[in-house]
Amino acid sequence: MQVTVRYFAGARAAAGCREETAPAGRSLDDITAELADRHGDRLAAVLRVASFLVDGVTCHDRRTPLPAGSTIDVLPPFAGG
């Protein structure tokens, strides 16, 4: 069972892909650590400052296990206003 991780803007460039999957049943903290290990320092830096939506809702508890079928949106800080 999987969750889908979608990257936007600078996160997409750092990851080198638009989206990928990760195992379900793990927390957002666990998943982002795995993604940083998989893609390296550039993505790790983006993940440290990014905001995350889980199924379209801002994620405030990064330690709760995510169910299969969830979608995580990785949103780096955006310039402008």
Side-chain angles (χ1 to χ4, degrees), residues 40-65:
D41 292 340
R42 188 171 174 207
L43 182 59
V46 172
L47 293 173
R48 281 192 293 274
V49 297
S51 297
F52 300 91
L53 302 179
V54 177
D55 294 332
V57 178
T58 301
C59 181
H60 294 290
D61 183 359
R62 295 174 54 117
R63 293 179 287 181
T64 298

Side-chain angles (χ1 to χ4, degrees), residues 4-6 11 14-15 19 26 35 37-38 41 48 57 69 73 79:
T4 300
V5 180
R6 299 188 305 185
E19 70 178 48
R26 299 175 65 211
L35 296 171
D37 287 345
R38 186 183 302 172
D41 292 340
R48 281 192 293 274
V57 178
D73 292 330

